[in-house]
Amino acid sequence: MISFSPLYSVSVHPSDIKSLHLDQSEDEDDEDDVDNLDEDAVLEYRSIPHLGGVNRIRAQPLPAGQPIPPVTQPYYVSTWSETGKVNIFDIRPLVESLAVPGFVPDKSRTSTPAFTITAHGRSEGFAMDWAASGTSSLRLLTGDIHCRIFLTTSTGSSFNTLTQPFTSHTSSVEDLQWSPADPTVFASCSADRSIRIWDVRVKGRKSVFGLEAAHDSDVNVISWNKFSTYLLLSGGDEGGIKVWDLRHFKEYILFIYFCL
Amino acid sequence: MGSAAFQRVYIIYLFLLVKMVQPIIDFYCCRQRSKPSPVALFSWHEAPVTSVEWHPTEDSIFAASGADDQVTLWDLAVEHDDEESGINEDTQDGKEIPPQLLFVHQGQKDVKELHWHPQIPGAMITTASDGFNFLKTITV
Amino acid sequence: MINDCERLGMDVDDENIKDDDVEVLAAVEEEEDENAPQPAPVVYIPGRHKLAKDEILEADQSVYIALHPMSVNWPCLSFDVLRDNLGDERSRFPVTCYAVAGTQADVAKNNEILVMKMSQLHKTQRDGGT
């Protein structure tokens, strides 16, 4: 193994060095300082008015290795608003207007949500994850600070939210992740310090398994490995990062099924 | 049978039942007598971890961001090399650097979220209170 | 049940994105030509080092192939990368990419969803400072 010193991106120098911000430009195509011409990044954007701060925003998954859908088809993003609503917007025309000069997006298609999830009431949330089966069948999980998780699925050109939430957490749901291997399985984490595994088919909408006290404090985020589908990553309020092997849990799951 | 005898038979019956079931319970539950522990644990971040994400194509690599203004890149496949220990593991003030820690990116304040770009290998975008960073390091 | 959880009423993330009293923030770029010889850089570890008044945090450009800070009108708590038609496994620079973000504005009605295109993302790599 090569002796390889750990790499740090930042070093501390006494400031006789003149500071030059790496450029930032917004809106239109601004070319910036002449000095750094070859390093000027350009940021253009199109905006959609949104009521309430955005706690989380997620784009629907698209099949890998294929072009994105044609402009006549939607590219959905969902937003968790501080107001408690989850909005689903179709941003495909706006992407087109950025990619293709001269394309004029149909504002009526983009400026109002294609669908709004009101099931959470006034409870805001942060947890949100999309999954897709094929190109047209989408499902969206949303979790709120009052411990509830709702499932919304696409139905033709619109969406439908299941009335009954998934409830097993005892505090705010912080993150959700669909399983990359099983389309009916998802994981959640919460301020109740637990990580839970769910199967949407379970009657009563309770979790199949809960890993209590997964972290010393709130579990904030999780990520499911798409290749080694038994690996779940979690991060907590105490600063810890943990990697879990779900094959250790399967025994518990099997045991529960055995007992049922 | 008298009730005392009945109780004795009943207790023996329970005893045998438990004896039969015990190995099954042991098999499923008691491989780990305490609750399952993670296969890896990194305590590097000094404030809440705000985002974690596996690399889109490398199955042992992930990134994390924290309220301590750090973005860290990790590779689970890196193992502790005993020969090297003591050479590159200590920083100036002795904090041990886990061998799996590939990179620490700083410069932003209060990093909230990070995502790898699935179509640009090694590229990542972060958002923090002071805006976005697009970055690609020499590590991944 | 819902009632139990309402009682908990926990505040989740601290969304107040305030500037702290850290002295210097964004990555800065070295000048090409420097008069005085540089002292050897000290690796900065948050929580263990405190920046002195005359010290700034500076990115070591040799360890990034590219590093581009960008900002918009409001801080964004969350964003997502958008897929595009520019191909997979793109490793030639400059690159272009698309993302979508949501703002945390001063009042509820000032918020926006931003569909962003970042382009002219060149390599910024410089060899280690001497």
Side-chain angles (χ1 to χ4, degrees):
Chain A
M1 173 174 146
I2 300 167
S3 178
F4 193 54
S5 61
L7 301 169
Y8 288 83
S9 65
V10 195
S11 50
V12 177
H13 290 248
S15 63
D16 46 344
I17 300 164
K18 184 170 159 196
S19 74
L20 258 184
H21 277 278
L22 289 174
D23 68 289
Q24 311 159 8
S25 52
E26 316 171 340
D27 288 330
E28 310 315 323
D29 286 280
D30 277 326
E31 288 301 338
D32 226 10
D33 299 351
V34 179
D35 297 299
N36 298 317
L37 195 59
D38 64 326
E39 291 177 5
D40 280 5
V42 171
L43 179 62
E44 291 175 73
Y45 59 84
R46 304 286 181 264
S47 61
I48 305 171
H50 185 273
L51 181 64
V54 177
N55 287 345
R56 201 151 290 176
I57 185 166
R58 286 288 180 268
Q60 68 165 97
L62 292 175
Q66 291 178 31
I68 68 176
V71 70
T72 47
Q73 286 179 26
Y75 192 173
Y76 290 119
V77 301
S78 56
T79 61
W80 239 130
S81 171
E82 286 174 339
T83 61
K85 293 185 163 48
V86 175
N87 299 300
I88 299 174
F89 289 90
D90 173 10
I91 61 161
R92 183 65 184 87
L94 297 179
V95 175
E96 191 75 1
S97 82
L98 288 166
V100 177
F103 178 86
V104 179
D106 176 7
K107 280 270 161 74
S108 68
R109 198 176 140 193
T110 59
S111 55
T112 51
F115 186 76
T116 298
I117 300 171
T118 52
H120 294 274
R122 303 276 284 278
S123 306
E124 64 175 316
F126 295 82
M128 192 153 70
D129 195 34
W130 287 97
S133 308
T135 47
S136 50
S137 173
L138 295 171
R139 40 192 207 281
L140 176 65
L141 288 166
T142 49
D144 64 30
I145 59 172
H146 292 134
C147 335
R148 299 167 301 176
I149 297 167
F150 283 96
L151 171 62
T152 301
T153 54
S154 61
T155 58
S157 56
S158 187
F159 294 86
N160 174 63
T161 306
L162 295 188
T163 0
Q164 242 217 319
F166 297 87
T167 52
S168 292
H169 280 298
T170 54
S171 189
S172 170
V173 181
E174 296 295 298
D175 203 1
L176 288 159
Q177 280 270 288
W178 284 103
S179 161
D182 298 306
T184 59
V185 175
F186 66 92
S188 64
C189 67
S190 162
D192 67 15
R193 297 170 55 205
S194 76
I195 295 171
R196 300 193 166 273
I197 307 293
W198 312 70
D199 188 323
V200 303
R201 300 168 299 183
V202 169
K203 289 197 169 68
R205 310 246 198 270
K206 299 293 177 196
S207 57
V208 169
F209 170 66
L211 177 66
E212 306 290 345
H215 281 261
D216 296 337
S217 186
D218 304 10
V219 189
N220 290 331
V221 282
I222 48 177
S223 178
W224 212 319
N225 193 307
K226 290 175 183 33
F227 305 101
S228 310
T229 57
Y230 49 85
L231 289 183
L232 190 68
L233 186 56
S234 66
D237 246 5
E238 79 288 357
I241 297 168
K242 300 191 186 187
V243 183
W244 306 92
D245 184 336
L246 292 175
R247 295 172 301 186
H248 295 167
F249 299 178
K250 261 205 189 125
E251 299 161 29
Y252 286 77
I253 294 168
L254 279 172
F255 175 65
I256 291 164
Y257 278 160
F258 172 74
C259 281
L260 283 173
Chain B
M1 264 189 306
S3 67
F6 179 76
Q7 277 176 2
R8 264 200 300 275
V9 170
Y10 184 63
I11 289 166
I12 293 168
Y13 171 77
L14 277 178
F15 177 71
L16 289 173
L17 187 66
V18 168
K19 272 294 209 203
M20 275 171 41
V21 174
Q22 190 68 35
I24 302 170
I25 296 173
D26 280 343
F27 176 70
Y28 282 112
C29 278
C30 298
R31 280 210 215 164
Q32 290 156 347
R33 293 209 164 258
S34 48
K35 72 178 203 303
S37 47
V39 296
L41 161 58
F42 303 110
S43 306
W44 181 262
H45 283 273
E46 310 207 314
V49 176
T50 52
S51 192
V52 289
E53 191 170 283
W54 291 102
H55 190 281
T57 54
E58 303 285 335
D59 66 346
S60 62
I61 292 179
F62 65 89
S65 64
D68 57 3
D69 308 341
Q70 296 187 87
V71 173
T72 49
L73 305 193
W74 303 81
D75 187 351
L76 286 182
V78 175
E79 287 187 2
H80 178 90
D81 188 334
D82 287 334
E83 288 172 9
E84 304 282 350
S85 90
I87 297 175
N88 51 0
E89 282 195 355
D90 290 3
T91 64
Q92 282 86 343
D93 60 353
K95 178 175 178 176
E96 253 192 50
I97 302 163
Q100 294 82 12
L101 178 57
L102 294 179
F103 197 94
V104 178
H105 165 65
Q106 291 167 97
Q108 291 196 285
K109 186 88 191 86
D110 209 7
V111 188
K112 290 295 185 184
E113 214 167 284
L114 62 84
H115 293 290
W116 297 97
H117 197 295
Q119 295 168 276
I120 306 171
M124 153 192 307
I125 302 175
T126 61
T127 186
S129 61
D130 49 1
F132 303 102
N133 272 184
F134 171 95
L135 62 140
K136 178 172 172 173
T137 70
I138 63 177
T139 58
V140 171
Chain C
M1 293 302 286
I2 293 172
N3 287 334
D4 287 344
C5 294
E6 275 175 358
R7 257 192 275 123
L8 289 169
M10 284 176 61
D11 244 61
V12 192
D13 283 348
D14 182 358
E15 273 133 51
N16 295 327
I17 303 167
K18 304 188 269 231
D19 271 1
D20 227 340
D21 17 37
V22 172
E23 274 135 50
V24 183
L25 304 172
V28 298
E29 204 162 35
E30 277 185 22
E31 269 191 13
E32 292 285 308
D33 34 24
E34 290 151 339
N35 313 333
Q38 289 294 324
V42 166
V43 163
Y44 174 78
I45 298 176
R48 277 173 166 64
H49 287 109
K50 277 200 148 58
L51 291 175
K53 274 212 164 61
D54 63 344
E55 289 185 319
I56 56 172
L57 226 45
E58 181 188 293
D60 178 355
Q61 289 295 348
S62 67
V63 298
Y64 295 93
I65 291 174
L67 173 60
H68 292 276
M70 284 163 281
S71 61
V72 291
N73 44 358
W74 298 109
C76 295
L77 186 56
S78 179
F79 77 101
D80 206 358
V81 170
L82 296 173
R83 292 270 319 284
D84 57 52
N85 287 337
L86 301 171
D88 291 335
E89 312 233 0
R90 313 202 286 268
S91 50
R92 303 241 321 256
F93 283 79
V95 292
T96 295
C97 63
Y98 294 80
V100 64
T103 61
Q104 294 272 309
D106 52 355
V107 292
K109 65 176 179 51
N110 283 348
N111 284 289
E112 296 175 313
I113 295 170
L114 306 170
V115 181
M116 302 181 291
K117 175 183 174 184
M118 305 173 180
S119 55
Q120 297 299 312
L121 298 168
H122 287 264
K123 284 194 181 181
T124 55
Q125 186 171 26
R126 306 261 171 86
D127 287 329
T130 29

